[in-house]
Amino acid sequence: MKINELIKKRRSVFPAQYNNKPISKDVIQQIVTAANWAPTHKKTEPWRFKVLQEEALLEFGEFLAAKYKATTKKYSAFKEKKILKKFEQSACVIVISFQRDPKERIPEWEEIASTAMAVQNMWLLATDLGIGAYWSSPALKEFTPEFFDFEEGEHCLGFFYMGYFDESLPEDKRIPIDEKVQWF
């Protein structure tokens, strides 16, 4: 597919839309390798990923649901189940984080932006491979370092849910670019 078509085809595809087809390790490896080619100022390559499948995926979902239950001021059994369900319905979840340059040679926002571009690379390749994806950054992401060993200066930016899906996705509409660009 031409890159321009692929960019326009990319959508958020949510866990409830995924079927039960597993994503092979080789395919996931291709997806994270695409991330590795994102632009990176001073070659800090700040993106970090933790790939969760099968048991680890379910354990992390249970961990976050327990954290929700233990820390929320307005508990909802529905919301707790929803947290678990997202992990149960996904074939893979990739924890997205960035590693702050220890020398702080560049602004932190540039490392976050670089990591976001890495995720866009993953998302575009997933789209091309017929895999649905969705990036979520819930407040619960702050508890991620309690589950994983994060390096000093590593910060979680959210979770990238993935799964194959059967339904066709609707066309998307955007405000015309001419309404967002000024020419001088």
Side-chain angles (χ1 to χ4, degrees), residues 3-181:
I3 189 69
N4 199 35
E5 294 170 18
L6 185 60
I7 290 168
K8 291 177 184 176
K9 188 178 176 186
R10 188 217 48 82
R11 299 279 177 281
S12 292
V13 182
F14 303 99
Q17 296 171 276
Y18 303 157
N19 60 32
N20 294 322
K21 183 178 176 183
I23 303 172
S24 74
K25 184 176 180 179
D26 289 342
V27 169
I28 296 168
Q29 183 67 42
Q30 289 177 43
I31 290 169
V32 295
T33 299
N36 207 38
W37 290 99
T40 172
H41 191 187
K42 298 229 185 258
K43 301 210 183 293
T44 61
E45 300 182 32
W47 46 83
R48 299 292 184 271
F49 306 112
K50 284 134 182 60
V51 178
L52 303 169
Q53 293 180 281
E54 301 169 358
E55 304 303 318
L57 179 65
L58 299 176
E59 286 173 21
F60 187 58
E62 289 168 4
F63 167 79
L64 290 177
K67 281 294 178 184
Y68 164 74
K69 190 173 184 177
T71 61
T72 189
K73 292 178 182 168
K74 294 182 179 181
Y75 174 76
S76 159
F78 174 79
K79 184 163 182 179
E80 181 183 10
K81 270 188 175 175
K82 187 176 176 184
I83 293 165
L84 287 167
K85 197 85 171 148
K86 281 183 179 181
F87 288 88
E88 292 167 358
Q89 293 170 325
S90 300
C92 174
V93 172
I94 300 175
V95 175
I96 304 161
S97 61
F98 77 98
Q99 178 66 52
R100 182 74 172 113
D101 175 24
K103 297 177 185 173
E104 297 186 5
R105 295 173 290 167
I106 60 172
E108 183 179 71
W109 76 265
E110 289 187 19
E111 292 180 318
I112 295 169
S114 188
T115 303
M117 287 185 264
V119 174
Q120 178 74 343
N121 283 0
M122 292 194 310
W123 213 328
L124 289 172
L125 184 54
T127 299
D128 194 46
L129 296 171
I131 297 169
Y134 161 63
W135 181 356
S136 175
S137 26
L140 289 170
K141 75 183 183 332
E142 300 306 321
F143 297 108
T144 303
E146 293 179 28
F147 190 84
F148 299 101
D149 290 330
F150 270 35
E151 298 293 323
E152 186 176 335
E154 185 177 358
H155 306 280
C156 183
L157 294 175
F159 314 128
F160 193 64
Y161 298 86
M162 294 192 308
Y164 287 103
F165 61 101
D166 299 318
E167 63 192 73
S168 58
L169 301 174
E171 296 259 338
D172 198 6
K173 293 182 182 179
R174 299 290 167 121
I175 297 168
I177 192 65
D178 291 340
E179 295 181 29
K180 304 172 191 173
V181 176

